[in-house]
Amino acid sequence: MAKYKIEVDRDLCIGDAACCGEAPNTFEMDDENIAVVTDADGHTDEEILQAAQVCPVDAITLTDTDTGEKVWPEE
Ligand code: SF4
């Protein structure tokens, strides 16, 4: 079970595909060149966190599904 609820802010995403390079089983570019989540269980929690952290515009939000707390981006 995925630990994180993963959301991509389509208004922030600049389409550089950095998240896909980091976690290709979880993120994919759609036909508008915006990242979408294809499989929240495609990578380990740590790999998904790293993919969110490489996003240059913090467009990826991770929420811990157990606690409901926002894990990334840091406030
Ligand atoms: S790393 Fe961020 S800006 Fe780049 S494609 Fe992924 S969500 Fe979009």
Side-chain angles (χ1 to χ4, degrees):
M1 246 310 260
K3 177 179 179 181
Y4 298 130
K5 178 182 168 199
I6 310 168
E7 293 167 293
V8 176
D9 186 326
R10 297 184 63 84
D11 294 329
L12 287 179
C13 178
I14 58 170
D16 71 344
C19 53
C20 304
E22 203 64 32
N25 300 332
T26 290
F27 296 96
E28 189 176 285
M29 304 311 292
D30 71 6
D31 52 13
E32 294 176 40
N33 203 37
I34 304 287
V36 290
V37 177
T38 53
D39 182 4
D41 289 308
H43 285 271
T44 65
D45 297 333
E46 183 59 30
E47 288 166 342
I48 289 170
L49 177 59
Q50 278 173 15
Q53 289 174 335
V54 298
C55 177
V57 293
D58 285 347
I60 301 171
T61 300
L62 302 180
T63 306
D64 188 314
T65 51
D66 290 332
T67 65
E69 280 177 25
K70 187 158 90 170
V71 176
W72 191 263
E74 289 175 332
E75 308 260 287

